Amino acid sequence: MESLNRAFDKAFLHTASKESLRDLLECIGEELRCDRISIFELNMDRTCDNTYEWCRPGKTHLRELMQSIPLETFDDWMDEMVAQEFICVRDLESVRQNEPDVYRLLHSQEVNAVIAARLAFHGKNIGFFMLENPGEKILEEAATIMPGMRYILSSLVYSDHLLRRLERVGYLDHLTNTGNRMGLQEALEKLDPSKPLGIVYCEVLGWTKDDHRLTEIQEEQALIRTGEILQGLFDEGTTFRVAAGEFLALLPEADQETVEFETETVRRLFDEHDLLVAVGRLHVDKAGTDHDSLVRQAHLLAHNEIRALTRAEEMKHALMTETLSDDEIAHISLYRTNEFFRQAPRYFSEYYDESLLTIVVDINYFKLYNDIFGRRAGSMLLEQVAENILAFTRAHNGITGYLGGDNFIVILPTRERHEEKLNGLLCEMAEAMHCPDGFSPALGAYLSHDKQETLVVMYDHALTALQDIKGSYVDCYRFYDVDHYRRDRESKVLMLDAKRGISNGEFTFYLQPQVNEKDGKIVGAEALSRWINRGQVVSPAQYIPALEKSGYIYAMDACIWDSVCRWIRSLIDRGIRPVPISINVSRIDFYFDDIAAHIIGLTRKYGIEPYLLGVEITESAFTDNTDTILEAVNKLHEAGFRVLMDDFGSGSSSLSMLHTVHLDVLKTDVRFMSQDAYNSRAYSIVGSVVSMAHMIGMIVVTEGVETEQQRENLVAMGGNFAQGFYFYRPMPVEDFEHLLMDPGKIGDAFAHGMHVGENHLKFRDLIGRGMLSDTLLDNIIGAAAVYKEADGARSLMQVNEQYRMLSRKSDDDLSDTQDAVISENPEEIERLFREADKYPFEGATGQVTVHPAGKPQMRGIRVFLLYSCDHYRLYFLTIQDVAGKV
């Protein structure tokens, strides 16, 4: 108890609730020698959030990832905490069997022992707290320590909870969950007047896909979606709704370049979501104190953009309406948007005991249907679909409305909660619509059990589900998924954290060497981004998708490019000979900058030769923005850079790209061969890629090489270079520098652009160029034949003239029964074929008896496996023209 009292004394030196709570957790953690203390508060939707956390130095903070945890995870613990006040678990393995959800959650956080207690005020549960990995003495004294700690923490958490509620009421816009004008005023007053400030001002005009005269519900949806986009991009507490359709985002201490980048990102995201929003930006070197003037300036800049946007939309609307005759307009006898949202709540007021199933309907590729069959046919389809939806809705005691375009809304009362039956109901509705083949309906659905939930919220959830399923040929419906929403939320949190990490210089690069396949010498390396977040290396798989989705991948990539060039310069200055380093360029990067000019500028800035920098572009990027990328590739080539196509074979346009784009290096992946070490089809694919690349003068780098067998097979194919764990894993720069300083580990072929194997004789190339006639080949190879093996039987498929003579075959008969080579050497032939199965590249070698000119002779024979599948195998057999008497 002495340690706890000391913690309380320290904590209450402060009077502010938040400071007291944070200080108390720190003091408790230090005195009780815990790894982590976490406070979880309950939400209305039966989830809980980790609102406060203290961690021992060296431990990773997890609060941002522990949000919206389903309360079901802790159901058993909550019941036990109500009955016993607290829970003490000395060994986490003891709960593994009975409470697997709790076990998985805590085990992932490296918790071995834990003490947990509920937080309650005046009998009302408000959450719980946990002490993770406390000392053995604390575990023994838990019954003495926990009651006092529980009382103090409950009081502070409840007090803080009330303050937060009051703040939210005063500073929050309830429609969009952004701040309001009062919140903006509060945020502006906290700014440092001597520091820079950026402002992004947005004025919402509506949806680009709809009539420019918006309905009330469409206006609300446009505002809600705008708020979501801005909150997803900017830090918490920096976005505000300042008028009916106007939003503002503050960027404290941001430079002009950052403000410009953020503005372009906002515009791109609005465009992707079909939102028509005017955006203005303002940057000042000093925030000063006349904040109203700054806001007015930013508003004026946004307003100037409105005229151009409005004119463009009005022209589009006029063009559409002028071209529609009366018989091309769909006549649909359903509630229109505003009327539906007025009538629906009244209609369902009598269904007290039933849940409500909200379904938003869209017809896939309806615009294409109009283009193919004409607008009159499209209107007839809409009228028929409307009638079918109305009939289905009436049969299920529901109500339906028409939202415009090809969108409908349906709400059904239901007592059903079984997932399989609800899925069946949606399938039944999709079939009842009778849409033509190729233009299937897409249904987004949301099941609400909460009578307090508004129709707008239900509609928005169903619309979110629809966005996930739209355009799919496989599925026709999707339910709103709380877990999916939570993952999106976590992704946004991670993205904001990564954005902060970019600003704080937390992103660096590791290097994975690229080697000569034959001798393993290093000829180059690939720079791979790494995020060092709070001392831990974050996997790129966690942050790359979030950054690409938001557009911040460009900011990260630009940071990595600069770091790589600066490092190469430092090598040269220290007298260390560099090797070429390839940097990755995302398809998103091309939307934000002139990539060629940027990279050329970096090499000039740091004074490094272009051949030391390779530019890797994924194959999928070439199909996204072809003209821009072609122009960038040409500029890079003219400046002396190597251009690599990454992930060759993963997209759909590889061959056309090889013809169109001037590339130096193809990067393909050995995963084609990872499933079956001797899959001849897989090796044929990779071998063909290597051969094709060499034929057109390109280098090949094979990624993902992990075994000696893979390396040997690639060498046998005549490949150039490899990259993978078999040779080296990605490593910090310091480790790579140690390799560079060992001359025995460094090759120079890649550095000078020389193609390994250019002087290597390749029969495939000679044959392809028509340099070898059949007669010349026969004389080089000797007696040769192709055999097929299927269902235990072996048959002769093709032979050349020399083999025909040895096997005594006639010109028109290749049946197995008269094959002298097989019939006279059955055991040896069987051994050779089976050995060839094991070693497809080396083949099998032996001796057989043949009868040239009627005289028996022993000759050398080789057998190779050419092709293998489930039904048959093909073998190539050659007999040497070296005689030996029997």
Side-chain angles (χ1 to χ4, degrees):
M1 285 297 292
E2 289 182 11
S3 58
L4 189 61
N5 289 332
R6 285 196 299 271
F8 290 159
D9 290 341
K10 291 179 184 178
F12 291 122
L13 289 175
H14 296 281
T15 57
S17 173
K18 290 183 179 179
E19 291 180 357
S20 295
L21 191 48
R22 292 192 181 99
D23 288 345
L24 179 58
L25 293 184
E26 181 178 354
C27 294
I28 291 173
E30 291 175 352
E31 292 289 348
L32 303 188
R33 302 180 184 279
C34 303
D35 279 356
R36 181 184 291 105
I37 302 176
S38 302
I39 291 177
F40 289 84
E41 294 184 51
L42 306 184
N43 299 320
M44 295 291 290
D45 61 353
R46 283 193 55 77
T47 62
C48 56
D49 292 336
N50 185 184
T51 52
Y52 288 95
E53 176 191 55
W54 171 85
C55 284
R56 180 168 56 80
K59 285 291 180 180
T60 304
H61 287 271
L62 300 172
R63 187 180 71 83
E64 291 179 348
L65 300 178
M66 302 296 286
Q67 304 297 310
S68 299
I69 305 296
L71 204 53
E72 289 85 353
T73 303
F74 299 101
D75 268 352
D76 293 338
W77 272 27
M78 292 300 291
D79 292 341
E80 196 172 337
M81 283 189 278
V82 170
Q84 302 180 15
E85 300 295 334
F86 72 93
I87 296 172
C88 182
V89 178
R90 293 173 174 272
D91 182 3
L92 189 64
E93 292 296 325
S94 65
V95 304
R96 184 172 190 171
Q97 186 76 22
N98 297 327
E99 295 159 8
D101 291 339
V102 173
Y103 174 82
R104 279 194 294 271
L105 184 69
L106 297 182
H107 182 68
S108 67
Q109 299 172 207
E110 299 180 348
V111 175
N112 301 314
V114 64
I115 304 174
R118 74 182 182 119
L119 298 169
F121 199 80
H122 293 307
K124 178 184 178 181
N125 281 340
I126 57 175
F128 59 93
F129 69 95
M130 293 192 296
L131 310 180
E132 299 179 11
N133 296 332
E136 186 63 31
K137 186 177 180 181
I138 305 305
L139 290 168
E140 293 173 359
E141 297 179 359
T144 306
I145 293 173
M146 294 306 288
M149 188 185 306
R150 176 176 169 268
Y151 176 78
I152 298 295
L153 287 177
S154 293
S155 300
L156 289 174
V157 169
Y158 186 73
S159 174
D160 183 52
H161 182 69
L162 285 178
L163 287 174
R164 289 206 308 271
R165 286 184 61 187
L166 288 172
E167 287 177 359
R168 286 177 66 83
V169 169
Y171 298 121
L172 188 70
D173 176 68
H174 294 287
L175 177 65
T176 63
N177 282 324
T178 58
N180 58 18
R181 289 192 70 89
M182 289 180 63
L184 172 62
Q185 195 62 38
E186 179 80 6
L188 288 170
E189 289 173 1
K190 293 179 180 178
L191 293 173
D192 185 337
S194 64
K195 296 292 179 65
L197 174 66
I199 297 177
V200 177
Y201 204 102
C202 307
E203 189 157 350
V204 182
L205 305 180
W207 300 93
T208 58
K209 63 183 179 181
D210 290 319
D211 190 312
H212 66 297
R213 295 183 292 274
L214 293 181
T215 63
E216 181 182 341
I217 187 63
Q218 287 171 325
E219 287 178 358
E220 284 194 359
Q221 285 302 311
L223 294 173
I224 290 171
R225 196 55 53 87
T226 300
E228 288 176 348
I229 290 171
L230 294 175
Q231 286 180 299
L233 278 177
F234 298 104
D235 294 338
E236 185 178 355
T238 62
T239 57
F240 307 90
R241 184 185 176 199
V242 294
E246 298 171 22
F247 293 81
L248 179 148
L250 296 177
L251 288 80
E253 302 183 24
D255 57 27
Q256 174 126 14
E257 185 178 349
T258 300
V259 176
E260 291 175 358
F261 172 76
E262 300 281 12
T263 305
E264 291 310 307
T265 302
V266 166
R267 285 196 176 107
R268 183 177 63 82
L269 289 175
F270 285 152
D271 186 56
E272 286 181 3
H273 286 78
D274 295 321
L275 278 166
L276 187 63
V277 181
V279 182
R281 68 169 183 264
L282 178 71
H283 178 267
V284 291
D285 294 329
K286 293 183 179 181
T289 56
D290 187 6
H291 302 135
D292 289 342
S293 175
L294 297 179
V295 172
R296 282 195 300 271
Q297 290 179 54
H299 181 203
L300 181 61
L301 291 170
H303 200 71
N304 290 338
E305 191 176 276
I306 289 176
R307 298 188 184 92
L309 288 174
T310 304
R311 278 199 301 272
E313 287 301 305
E314 285 179 345
M315 288 176 64
K316 182 176 74 174
H317 175 74
L319 182 62
M320 288 178 62
T321 53
E322 284 173 9
T323 57
L324 287 179
S325 60
D326 184 62
D327 66 342
E328 291 177 321
I329 299 174
H331 300 284
I332 296 173
S333 301
L334 297 177
Y335 289 128
R336 295 303 172 116
T337 307
N338 287 341
E339 186 64 19
F340 175 84
F341 277 83
R342 279 194 293 269
Q343 295 292 338
R346 302 174 195 167
Y347 187 83
F348 290 117
S349 60
E350 59 189 84
Y351 293 100
Y352 294 110
D353 300 327
E354 300 189 44
S355 301
L356 297 179
L357 178 62
T358 304
I359 307 167
V360 181
V361 182
D362 177 274
I363 301 175
N364 284 320
Y365 309 109
F366 180 70
K367 184 180 182 301
L368 180 62
Y369 187 90
N370 274 336
D371 292 342
I372 296 173
F373 300 106
R375 291 189 176 278
R376 177 57 191 148
S379 296
M380 291 175 65
L381 174 61
L382 285 178
E383 292 167 3
Q384 186 60 52
V385 167
E387 289 179 13
N388 295 339
I389 290 176
L390 181 59
F392 176 85
T393 306
R394 285 175 174 170
H396 291 82
N397 299 318
I399 184 172
T400 184
Y402 177 54
L403 304 177
D406 58 327
N407 299 121
F408 300 83
I409 182 170
V410 172
I411 301 183
L412 306 176
T414 179
R415 296 178 186 274
E416 187 57 66
R417 297 197 179 194
H418 194 276
E419 182 180 348
E420 187 174 334
K421 292 187 177 179
L422 288 170
N423 291 342
L425 181 65
L426 292 179
C427 286
E428 182 186 343
M429 179 177 171
E431 292 173 3
M433 290 174 62
H434 296 298
C435 290
D437 291 342
F439 302 93
S440 59
L443 281 61
Y446 173 65
L447 184 64
S448 172
H449 310 300
D450 184 359
K451 298 302 177 186
Q452 304 301 315
E453 204 159 33
T454 67
L455 194 51
V456 171
V457 171
M458 292 158 57
Y459 167 69
D460 192 58
H461 287 343
L463 191 63
T464 299
L466 176 65
Q467 299 303 319
D468 288 341
I469 196 66
K470 205 170 171 184
S472 172
Y473 282 111
V474 180
D475 301 315
C476 66
Y477 65 86
R478 177 74 52 87
F479 271 95
Y480 175 75
D481 185 353
V482 177
D483 290 334
H484 181 72
Y485 174 77
R486 188 178 296 120
R487 287 193 295 272
D488 278 350
R489 181 176 170 179
E490 290 172 355
S491 177
K492 286 179 180 177
V493 170
L494 182 69
M495 187 271 293
L496 290 173
D497 205 18
K499 177 185 169 186
R500 174 197 54 75
I502 293 170
S503 301
N504 294 344
E506 295 177 3
F507 281 83
T508 184
F509 65 94
Y510 277 25
L511 292 163
Q512 185 172 27
Q514 296 160 335
V515 304
N516 186 310
E517 290 171 349
K518 293 183 178 179
D519 57 22
K521 289 190 175 182
I522 297 171
V523 294
E526 179 182 2
L528 302 166
S529 71
R530 290 294 185 269
W531 180 16
I532 314 300
N533 184 22
R534 301 184 180 94
Q536 302 291 321
V537 179
V538 183
S539 167
Q542 289 183 254
Y543 62 82
I544 292 292
L547 290 178
E548 283 193 329
K549 188 175 181 180
S550 66
Y552 282 104
I553 190 72
Y554 169 69
M556 185 206 73
D557 282 344
C559 172
I560 298 299
W561 303 338
D562 189 272
S563 298
V564 169
C565 292
R566 185 169 61 250
W567 172 73
I568 293 175
R569 178 71 258 171
S570 76
L571 288 179
I572 297 170
D573 292 344
R574 287 179 284 152
I576 302 173
R577 177 191 171 193
V579 295
I581 305 296
S582 59
I583 56 175
N584 286 281
V585 178
S586 165
R587 63 185 182 84
I588 305 296
D589 295 334
F590 289 94
Y591 290 98
F592 288 96
D593 198 2
D594 182 340
I595 297 302
H598 187 122
I599 293 173
I600 292 169
L602 284 175
T603 55
R604 290 173 179 170
K605 173 184 175 181
Y606 290 104
I608 62 177
E609 293 295 328
Y611 80 86
L612 289 173
L613 206 62
V615 181
E616 282 195 27
I617 307 172
T618 57
E619 182 190 345
S620 60
F622 287 90
T623 61
D624 256 9
N625 202 357
T626 306
D627 291 341
T628 301
I629 294 177
L630 281 173
E631 183 181 353
V633 170
N634 289 334
K635 286 181 180 178
L636 290 168
H637 267 293
E638 289 172 6
F641 293 88
R642 286 177 299 107
V643 181
L644 303 83
M645 179 186 280
D646 197 11
D647 296 331
F648 177 79
S650 63
S652 58
S653 60
S654 303
L655 294 179
S656 63
M657 285 301 104
L658 292 182
H659 169 72
T660 308
V661 186
H662 186 186
L663 298 166
D664 302 288
V665 182
L666 286 187
K667 295 191 74 176
T668 189
D669 202 302
V670 80
R671 66 177 179 270
F672 287 119
M673 299 178 281
S674 61
Q675 298 300 318
D676 181 356
Y678 298 107
N679 186 319
S680 59
R681 274 194 286 186
Y683 283 114
S684 295
I685 293 171
V686 178
S688 297
V689 169
V690 172
S691 180
M692 175 185 63
H694 291 170
M695 287 285 288
I696 58 178
M698 294 179 67
I699 294 172
V700 177
V701 176
T702 307
E703 296 181 288
V705 179
E706 297 183 356
T707 67
E708 170 63 20
Q709 185 65 55
Q710 289 173 339
R711 187 199 72 82
E712 289 179 357
N713 294 338
L714 289 170
V715 170
M717 292 175 189
N720 289 154
F721 305 106
Q723 179 179 338
F725 287 2
Y726 174 76
F727 301 102
Y728 299 98
R729 292 176 176 269
M731 62 186 69
V733 168
E734 296 77 15
D735 293 347
F736 188 74
E737 287 184 5
H738 288 305
L739 295 175
L740 289 179
M741 290 185 282
D742 183 349
K745 287 185 167 62
I746 307 300
D748 62 358
F750 209 31
H752 299 301
M754 186 177 114
H755 295 195
V756 169
E758 275 187 351
N759 300 320
H760 178 64
L761 176 63
K762 297 175 185 174
F763 284 102
R764 185 194 301 252
D765 294 352
L766 294 175
I767 295 169
R769 294 166 183 166
M771 298 174 68
L772 293 177
S773 65
D774 289 344
T775 302
L776 183 56
L777 272 175
D778 282 345
N779 290 329
I780 293 172
I781 296 172
V786 175
Y787 282 88
K788 176 180 179 180
E789 214 175 50
D791 299 325
R794 188 178 297 121
S795 56
L796 191 56
M797 303 296 293
Q798 292 178 310
V799 299
N800 64 0
E801 187 58 34
Q802 288 93 323
Y803 193 89
R804 189 185 300 279
M805 294 173 61
L806 291 178
S807 61
R808 301 196 291 276
K809 308 297 296 180
S810 63
D811 289 345
D812 57 354
D813 183 10
L814 293 180
S815 63
D816 188 26
T817 55
Q818 299 182 36
D819 183 350
V821 175
I822 298 294
S823 61
E824 294 179 11
N825 305 274
E827 294 181 0
E828 179 67 358
I829 292 294
E830 179 65 22
R831 182 190 70 79
L832 291 170
F833 273 58
R834 298 293 72 83
E835 189 172 331
D837 290 339
K838 295 180 181 179
Y839 308 103
F841 287 99
E842 296 86 348
T845 305
Q847 287 190 322
V848 292
T849 301
V850 292
H851 295 77
K855 298 179 181 179
Q857 291 182 354
M858 291 292 291
R859 292 195 179 180
I861 181 173
R862 299 191 72 186
V863 179
F864 296 88
L865 175 64
L866 290 179
Y867 178 80
S868 173
C869 67
D870 294 338
H871 307 297
Y872 65 90
R873 296 185 179 195
L874 296 179
Y875 297 87
F876 179 74
L877 182 152
T878 178
I879 298 177
Q880 299 169 9
D881 191 18
V882 178
K885 292 189 177 181
V886 178

